Amino acid sequence: MKVKDKIYYFFVDRKPEIKREYEGYISRNLGMHHKHRLRSWIYLFGLHLVYFGKKGGRVQPRYGNNLKYPEIGIEPRLSVDELVAELAAYDVISFDIFDTLVLRGISDPRNLFVLIGNRLKVTGFKVLRVNAEADARKKHPEINGEITIEDIYEFLERRCGVSREQGIQTELEAELQFCFANPYMLETARKLQEKGKRIIATSNMYWDSGAIRKILDACGYGFIHEIYVSCEYKCSKYKGELQKKVWDVVGRENTVIHVGDNYTVDFVGSRMAGWKAFYYKNVNEIGRPYRPAGMSDLGGSVYSGLVNAKFHHGLLEQRPYFELGYAYGGPLVAGFCHWINEYAENHRIDKLLFTGRDMYCVHRIYNKFYAKYENDYIAISRFAAQRFAYQGFSEYFIDSHIKARAGIEKLSIREALEELDINCLYSFLAEYGLDESLLLDLSVFPELKQCMEDHKEELLDEFQREKEAAIQYYSQFVEKNQRIAVIDLGWQGTNALCLKYLLENETDYDVELFSLLVCLTGRRSFVDHCYSGKVVEAYCASPQHNRQMLNHFSRPSSVGRFICELIFSSPEDSLRQFSFDKQGNLKLLYNSNEKRKEGVFSEIFAGIFEFMTDIMNLGLTEEEMAFSGFEALLPLNKLFYNLPYCLEILSGNPVNPWIGITKNEAALDIEKIVR
């Protein structure tokens, strides 16, 4: 080993954390690095101070709340035509394979060993596989550790009893399953082929060229006929040795440029060999700061791999609402649908009712990718539900609609009652010293509340026809003696609890209803009672589990509620109340003053749908791709800390998770409410 290489190993290679941070810094500052090497050395010295000093014993990644959004396009690439023009100046174009020509649906290839271990039925296989590879490299120092897959499984066969042939075949099948073409590079390579250019693939890999050929063919690169891998040439790209041998094969008279994602191996190594080089920054390195910590090895790595590949290959243009759907709504909806099926199986559920409007997207995704149980999509809203279930929810109605409006201090009593369509109270106001022209604020709220409590029967009469209409409407979706799960977003389960009251107490269907929510934040005693009685269950978080995740959802004004309401939005209007027309036919009345910016819903849904399609294309079982509620919420949890971007996303999209706050107030001043 040369003195220069020994120095580089000592200061960079021997600590993976320092190596990752230093090479990431170089890749972001290539121009400066070539002109001012001293700055890079100072940065490297600083990394050593952090790692070995008193600041925690390790290099802290630069994850923070000041990330720039939207994420798509954060590291602009050359256009395909620009890259083709640059590469076409050379006789031979060499491409790295993994993370360049081919992307994986997993951010860390070592986490693929978790899946392989499950299939081989070997506990702790990931560690065994990593150690076997390291030991195999140590066993062959004479060839710089350039081993074959057979060398690795020779160790594993002795250590865990897996036959070499079975292990290698299982791992190759997993690679084929998770690899897909980088669309940016596929288009680039095809255009170079059309120009008659000689295209080769050059890789540091323990797979032989036959296995690599299968992977490239499966990914659409059947036109690349020359494959050069380090394990067959017994040397690496690291110092340019493999490139030199390949150059001898393709002809030294030809000019060669190499394209790859590893700065040290592909860029520096190729330059050392005398080739030109083009650095294609690794998609996972670009996306890493945006991905949350705390997800499982397999699920988290699959999530990160798909998002990083989708957002950073180089062809996708900025689409903020698509990004919101794909990276943040995708795992949430996927995990929720799987959890619904698990719950239904464990609790002998006969039917699922997805509530409008919040479950519009989930209902469509469920029936496309997860459908196991009979289900329907029903019209409901908190406002309409509290009216048809007023007998059991009068206190909640007063609190949610009257007290909340009193806190706004912008409505007269008459305006508030008109909004709530409870005009029958006008004639009783004087008994309590109230006038309909008075401003509804907290000073008059006690008297108005008393008025409503004293005249509950009149209000029940007012709501009677709505209750009858609601019973007629919901009767078409239920049968006698069914166990029904009502699926909703959150936050206190109001819709399901009111519907439960209506069907269990006002009809003879003898049904049993359960409420399944994404998140439960309710603190009211009836919600706590229902939760403890297993009537309400939450997928992600509740006061009883994953409580630490509720910080961004705890208040009606929390940014998490607004963002989730937007993700789970619908093109439909909000149900106001049930009614009958003059002929006695059932009629549903809707609000129409909560319109999103044009294209927002379709973009968010497109993102969620594409995430589901991509994860399904990996061929995982439903259990293998299941996200726990905790980890499904982690991407959003990270996003919520960037409040300016959240407000930018919400801008122009009236979202109102507050029962009792007027639509205009919630729609026009989201920033004020959140702050």
Side-chain angles (χ1 to χ4, degrees):
M1 184 182 288
K2 297 178 182 178
V3 174
K4 180 180 178 182
D5 295 332
K6 290 181 179 179
I7 293 173
Y8 191 86
Y9 172 81
F10 183 84
F11 285 104
V12 180
D13 280 354
R14 70 191 180 111
K15 290 296 178 185
E17 296 90 346
I18 290 178
K19 178 181 174 69
R20 182 178 65 247
E21 292 292 320
Y22 180 66
E23 291 184 352
Y25 171 81
I26 298 302
S27 69
R28 292 190 300 274
N29 302 277
L30 277 178
M32 183 278 295
H33 174 68
H34 292 306
K35 294 179 181 178
H36 305 286
R37 293 293 176 95
L38 181 60
R39 293 186 187 178
S40 299
W41 297 341
I42 292 172
Y43 181 80
L44 180 60
F45 178 70
L47 291 177
H48 278 263
L49 286 179
V50 172
Y51 189 90
F52 294 106
K54 299 179 180 179
K55 296 186 178 181
R58 64 185 288 274
V59 177
Q60 297 294 332
R62 293 175 303 279
Y63 304 168
N65 303 334
N66 59 346
L67 295 170
K68 294 181 180 179
Y69 290 89
E71 181 185 347
I72 297 172
I74 199 69
E75 295 264 1
R77 309 277 196 190
L78 295 178
S79 71
V80 168
D81 288 339
E82 289 171 333
L83 179 57
V84 168
E86 184 169 330
L87 300 179
Y90 299 88
D91 301 318
V92 179
I93 299 93
S94 167
F95 286 94
D96 176 49
I97 297 171
F98 295 99
D99 296 320
T100 303
L101 286 178
V102 171
L103 300 176
R104 287 185 176 104
I106 197 162
S107 60
D108 184 344
R110 292 172 299 182
N111 289 325
L112 195 58
F113 304 150
V114 176
L115 183 68
I116 295 168
N118 291 342
R119 294 176 180 179
L120 292 173
K121 296 181 172 56
V122 177
T123 302
F125 183 79
K126 176 182 174 180
V127 174
L128 291 169
R129 172 64 176 76
V130 169
N131 290 340
E133 183 175 337
D135 291 342
R137 293 187 189 282
K138 290 177 185 176
K139 185 179 178 180
H140 298 284
E142 74 283 357
I143 54 173
N144 298 310
E146 291 307 316
I147 56 171
T148 66
I149 192 70
E150 286 81 6
D151 296 326
I152 297 171
Y153 274 91
E154 181 182 341
F155 278 89
L156 288 169
E157 190 171 45
R158 294 198 304 268
R159 291 175 180 176
C160 60
V162 173
S163 75
R164 195 178 314 184
E165 294 75 16
Q166 181 189 12
I168 292 172
Q169 181 62 29
T170 302
E171 184 162 333
L172 180 57
E173 288 172 357
E175 289 281 12
L176 288 166
Q177 179 180 344
F178 271 76
C179 287
F180 53 88
N182 180 341
Y184 178 83
M185 287 300 173
L186 183 60
E187 187 175 342
T188 298
R190 281 175 174 166
K191 289 192 173 185
L192 288 168
Q193 182 198 30
E194 291 170 1
K195 290 179 176 290
K197 290 296 175 179
R198 186 176 180 181
I199 303 171
I200 66 175
T202 309
S203 178
N204 279 357
M205 236 313 164
Y206 41 72
W207 290 110
D208 62 24
S209 55
I212 297 295
R213 160 62 53 217
K214 291 179 181 178
I215 293 171
L216 288 178
D217 286 352
C219 293
Y221 291 102
F223 56 88
I224 298 180
H225 303 295
E226 297 180 67
I227 300 171
Y228 304 94
V229 288
S230 59
C231 70
E232 293 181 337
Y233 282 82
K234 307 303 180 185
C235 59
S236 164
K237 290 187 293 182
Y238 177 55
K239 301 173 187 177
E241 295 303 317
L242 178 59
Q243 291 92 324
K244 291 175 184 177
K245 289 194 176 184
V246 172
W247 207 357
D248 290 336
V249 176
V250 301
R252 289 274 176 168
E253 70 279 6
N254 291 312
T255 57
V256 185
I257 187 169
H258 180 71
V259 181
D261 69 287
N262 187 301
Y263 178 76
T264 303
V265 171
D266 291 306
F267 186 84
V268 175
S270 296
R271 298 290 291 266
M272 289 173 66
W275 287 5
K276 296 298 181 181
F278 180 87
Y279 176 57
Y280 175 79
K281 189 169 182 179
N282 186 289
V283 295
N284 291 304
E285 185 178 335
I286 298 172
R288 186 181 295 118
Y290 292 86
R291 307 285 77 80
M295 298 181 79
S296 65
D297 279 357
L298 182 59
S301 200
V302 168
Y303 163 75
S304 296
L306 288 177
V307 177
N308 294 341
K310 179 68 65 175
F311 288 1
H312 302 300
H313 55 61
L315 288 183
L316 192 62
E317 297 180 352
Q318 279 194 359
R319 295 168 62 185
Y321 293 103
F322 174 89
E323 180 175 309
L324 183 67
Y326 192 95
Y328 303 98
L332 198 58
V333 173
F336 189 41
C337 287
H338 172 75
W339 179 79
I340 289 168
N341 279 341
E342 269 193 341
Y343 182 93
E345 181 177 352
N346 293 335
H347 293 80
R348 298 177 290 108
I349 297 299
D350 300 308
K351 187 167 187 178
L352 308 174
L353 295 180
F354 291 85
T355 62
R357 302 176 299 161
D358 289 344
M359 290 294 102
Y360 181 89
C361 166
V362 176
H363 180 244
R364 295 173 71 184
I365 294 294
Y366 179 85
N367 281 305
K368 174 67 176 178
F369 298 102
Y370 290 91
K372 287 185 178 179
Y373 291 87
E374 181 186 355
N375 65 87
D376 276 305
Y377 179 74
I378 59 172
I380 198 167
S381 71
R382 287 167 289 186
F383 183 80
Q386 289 174 17
R387 293 169 72 88
F388 66 60
Y390 190 75
Q391 175 68 59
F393 289 83
S394 58
E395 182 76 11
Y396 191 21
F397 182 95
I398 294 170
D399 230 21
S400 301
H401 296 289
I402 302 297
K403 189 174 183 179
R405 281 170 168 77
I408 298 175
E409 299 181 350
K410 291 183 178 179
L411 297 170
S412 68
I413 292 177
R414 181 178 186 85
E415 288 171 327
L417 297 182
E418 282 181 348
E419 276 194 357
L420 297 172
D421 195 17
I422 47 177
N423 304 329
C424 65
L425 291 180
Y426 290 152
S427 59
F428 305 116
L429 294 176
E431 299 175 24
Y432 301 87
L434 300 174
D435 185 274
E436 60 187 49
S437 63
L438 286 175
L439 188 68
L440 175 58
D441 59 23
L442 294 176
S443 68
V444 301
F445 169 69
E447 288 77 13
L448 186 54
K449 179 179 181 180
Q450 190 63 54
C451 174
M452 294 183 70
E453 289 176 344
D454 292 346
H455 296 281
K456 182 174 181 177
E457 290 303 319
E458 285 82 356
L459 286 168
L460 287 173
D461 289 342
E462 183 91 355
F463 299 147
Q464 178 62 27
R465 292 289 283 168
E466 293 180 40
K467 182 176 73 173
E468 293 170 0
I471 291 173
Q472 181 176 324
Y473 173 76
Y474 293 118
S475 293
Q476 64 186 306
F477 302 111
V478 300
E479 297 175 8
K480 286 184 177 294
N481 303 313
Q482 282 188 321
R483 289 169 63 86
I484 298 169
V486 181
I487 318 298
D488 206 349
L489 172 58
W491 303 100
Q492 300 184 80
T494 310
N495 285 335
L497 294 174
C498 289
L499 185 56
K500 177 181 176 66
Y501 178 86
L502 180 74
L503 294 178
E504 291 185 3
N505 295 280
E506 301 286 348
T507 74
D508 61 355
Y509 280 102
D510 197 23
V511 295
E512 192 174 1
L513 264 70
F514 302 85
S515 174
L516 304 188
L517 306 176
V518 176
C519 284
L520 174 68
T521 61
R523 297 176 180 174
R524 299 177 185 276
S525 59
F526 77 89
V527 174
D528 290 339
H529 168 74
C530 290
Y531 190 88
S532 62
K534 301 300 181 183
V535 172
V536 179
E537 293 278 4
Y539 163 56
C540 288
S542 73
Q544 283 75 18
H545 84 292
N546 296 336
R547 188 177 185 130
Q548 71 275 27
M549 302 297 286
L550 290 180
N551 180 53
H552 296 290
F553 303 97
S554 57
R555 294 174 293 108
S557 59
S558 299
V559 67
R561 292 203 190 188
F562 283 105
I563 291 290
C564 279
E565 293 275 350
L566 183 61
I567 289 174
F568 289 90
S569 63
S570 159
E572 303 169 324
D573 292 329
S574 177
L575 177 69
R576 181 169 179 81
Q577 62 197 76
F578 293 95
S579 181
F580 292 105
D581 62 19
K582 293 180 180 179
Q583 288 73 41
N585 299 313
L586 179 67
K587 183 179 181 181
L588 278 60
L589 304 178
Y590 291 88
N591 290 319
S592 58
N593 59 343
E594 245 191 35
K595 298 297 184 184
R596 307 284 184 259
K597 285 194 295 192
E598 186 176 356
V600 168
F601 166 76
S602 59
E603 278 288 276
I604 292 173
F605 182 76
I608 295 172
F609 189 87
E610 197 157 322
F611 178 85
M612 287 303 314
T613 302
D614 289 345
I615 200 170
M616 288 293 182
N617 285 341
L618 293 180
L620 296 169
T621 66
E622 192 173 321
E623 287 70 27
E624 287 171 340
M625 67 181 180
F627 297 100
S628 71
F630 177 80
E631 63 181 346
L633 207 54
L634 285 173
L636 271 174
N637 190 60
K638 188 176 182 71
L639 180 68
F640 293 152
Y641 281 103
N642 196 302
L643 184 58
Y645 183 67
C646 288
L647 293 175
E648 183 181 329
I649 283 286
L650 290 168
S651 177
N653 293 295
V655 181
N656 180 23
W658 291 10
I659 308 173
I661 296 295
T662 59
K663 300 293 182 183
N664 288 339
E665 176 75 12
L668 298 179
D669 209 358
I670 285 177
E671 183 169 354
K672 177 182 176 182
I673 292 172
V674 169
R675 290 187 185 279

